[in-house]
Amino acid sequence: MTDKNSIDAFMRGIPKAELHLHIEGSLEPELMFALAHKHGVKLPYASVEELRNAYQFDDLQSFLDLYYAGAAVLRDEDDFHALTMAYLKRVHADGVVHVEIFFDPQTHTERGIAFATVIDGIRRALADGEREFGITHRLIMCFLRHLDAADAMRTLEQALPYKDAIVAVGLDSSERGHPPSKFEAVFSRARSEGFLAVAHAGEEGPPAYIIEALDLLKVARVDHGVRCEEDPALVQRLVQDRMPLTVCPLSNVKLRVVERMQDHNLKRLLDRGLCVTINSDDPAYFGGYMFANFQAAQRGLDLSREDITQLAANSIEASFLRAAEKKHWQEKIREFVAA
Ligand code: ADE
Ligand code: ZN
């Protein structure tokens, strides 16, 4: 086996968790067209190929415009089931053993789809996926930060009957101009209801937004967080607290957070002792699922087997699995590396 084949097999095979995945961002053009046809929706693209060619982004907002438009084909429970099942099947082939999935209820409730339709379809697929592929799961409900805090609070209230199914609340969508502080009261209420908290911060926004996410929203993980490097005291704090960052390498290149993969700070942050993980964010839009993200980062940053092992171990450490489950997977990672 060549060196490349061998490190690829290692990256694919090592047990790992995906912690930053927007289920709506796993909607492949083929399924988008099939659902558009099913519901009699006309897409502004003539073919799958034409749609894929439109996936050229200047920044986060230019992506979000397409992402929200695409999600409009998701209408009934079976659509959300099909979407989630396709994702699980795909990442099973990448050696993913556990997933923590974001969903954006407001993207759907805003267009008259019931909260129950969304969550019931996703949950049914997660249960089917665990039975079929052995992939365990947690569900994280994100608030759209470009909408107001009152809308987020109403969404939180809709989620209360599903407390047992949702482990955490998150914060996503347009970061610039929508600081975490806008959602302090919503997150406070969510935590008092028993939800854990995560938030996108420091993707396009400044390090100050990461500090707000930690201090005001009391997050257990920071999604992206790559701009922390601009504030050395913050980096030190993240290292000291072993605060996980769910980094998304292909997303960062596609949305021009970094110019090229070779410029990504993932390896520097890992070497600094940060609990960095690799994730796919919106794989249908950014050119690949978990393995593709590992592969692109490995090639661009010359990651070693030790780096890959650390990234996989970090993904288990940073997950919301129970202590015994984490112990089980850390042991499996050690066995895999030894073999
Ligand atoms: N929603 C889906 N993907 C996102 C990202 N990368 N940043 C913010 N919001 C998102
Ligand atoms: Zn994201």
Side-chain angles (χ1 to χ4, degrees):
M1 225 183 331
T2 66
D3 283 356
K4 270 188 184 164
N5 284 342
S6 129
I7 188 98
D8 283 356
F10 187 80
M11 289 190 288
R12 206 185 280 283
I14 196 165
K16 53 195 161 299
E18 170 142 69
L19 307 179
H20 185 152
L21 177 280
H22 303 264
I23 197 63
E24 294 89 349
S26 72
L27 177 58
E28 290 287 348
E30 288 80 3
L31 183 56
M32 199 189 293
F33 268 88
L35 296 180
H37 181 74
K38 169 181 166 185
H39 296 297
V41 176
K42 178 122 181 61
L43 293 173
Y45 302 94
S47 66
V48 162
E49 200 192 359
E50 198 181 307
L51 175 57
R52 242 185 246 288
N53 286 338
Y55 293 174
Q56 314 284 345
F57 310 114
D58 299 320
D59 56 11
L60 175 57
Q61 193 59 51
S62 63
F63 153 69
L64 289 171
D65 293 343
L66 260 178
Y67 163 87
Y68 294 126
V73 301
L74 298 162
R75 302 255 164 128
D76 63 31
E77 192 188 307
D78 284 344
D79 301 344
F80 288 95
H81 179 270
L83 173 73
T84 309
M85 226 33 215
Y87 163 72
L88 293 170
K89 186 170 178 200
R90 182 63 195 71
V91 293
H92 178 55
D94 284 2
V96 172
V97 297
H98 175 71
V99 295
E100 305 199 346
I101 293 182
F102 297 133
F103 73 115
D104 290 339
Q106 288 155 297
T107 300
H108 314 297
T109 52
E110 260 198 330
R111 26 184 206 97
I113 312 294
F115 189 97
T117 300
V118 179
I119 195 166
D120 289 348
I122 296 172
R123 286 177 71 193
R124 184 154 58 81
L126 290 171
D128 289 349
E130 182 158 0
R131 215 175 307 114
E132 234 177 274
F133 310 120
I135 298 179
T136 53
H137 51 83
R138 299 285 186 272
L139 199 49
I140 301 172
M141 176 177 81
C142 283
F143 302 115
L144 299 182
R145 67 204 303 160
H146 68 273
L147 301 178
D148 62 31
D151 205 306
M153 195 66 97
R154 280 192 294 277
T155 303
L156 176 60
E157 277 157 11
Q158 285 180 294
L160 294 180
Y162 298 94
K163 253 189 200 177
D164 294 344
I166 301 171
V167 72
V169 294
L171 188 63
D172 65 1
S173 194
S174 323
E175 187 180 7
R176 286 201 188 110
H178 301 286
S181 51
K182 179 175 161 185
F183 297 93
E184 188 176 357
V186 181
F187 272 65
S188 170
R189 169 86 194 277
R191 282 184 284 101
S192 76
E193 295 284 355
F195 296 100
L196 296 169
V198 299
H200 284 52
E203 177 186 16
E204 282 191 345
Y209 283 19
I210 301 175
I211 296 171
E212 282 193 10
L214 298 171
D215 291 342
L216 305 181
L217 306 188
K218 310 210 185 299
V219 295
R221 296 198 292 252
V222 175
D223 296 314
H224 294 293
V226 289
R227 285 194 59 193
C228 69
E229 219 181 16
E230 295 164 36
D231 180 344
L234 173 59
V235 171
Q236 204 174 0
R237 175 181 179 183
L238 296 170
V239 171
Q240 220 147 47
D241 297 349
R242 220 140 156 85
M243 174 60 60
L245 300 190
T246 62
V247 175
C248 307
L250 285 174
S251 165
N252 292 157
V253 175
K254 268 292 207 183
L255 301 186
R256 304 172 81 169
V257 170
V258 293
E259 194 74 30
R260 310 167 308 158
M261 193 59 82
Q262 293 93 307
D263 305 323
H264 203 290
N265 62 6
L266 179 143
K267 167 78 174 150
R268 278 200 304 277
L269 295 175
L270 193 64
D271 289 346
R272 268 294 265 115
L274 259 101
C275 186
V276 174
T277 64
I278 285 187
N279 308 272
S280 72
D281 209 4
D282 301 283
Y285 292 88
F286 299 151
Y289 289 75
M290 276 289 268
F291 171 72
N293 272 275
F294 270 82
Q295 190 181 44
Q298 193 278 324
R299 298 292 198 277
L301 302 169
D302 197 25
L303 301 180
S304 65
R305 278 179 192 244
E306 290 69 34
D307 294 330
I308 301 302
T309 304
Q310 185 66 54
L311 287 161
N314 287 353
S315 76
I316 299 299
E317 177 187 340
S319 73
F320 295 139
L321 284 167
R322 285 179 286 271
E325 297 167 310
K326 290 189 185 188
K327 194 160 165 265
H328 166 82
W329 284 117
Q330 299 293 17
E331 186 54 39
K332 289 283 174 200
I333 290 173
R334 277 193 291 276
E335 281 170 20
F336 177 84
V337 172

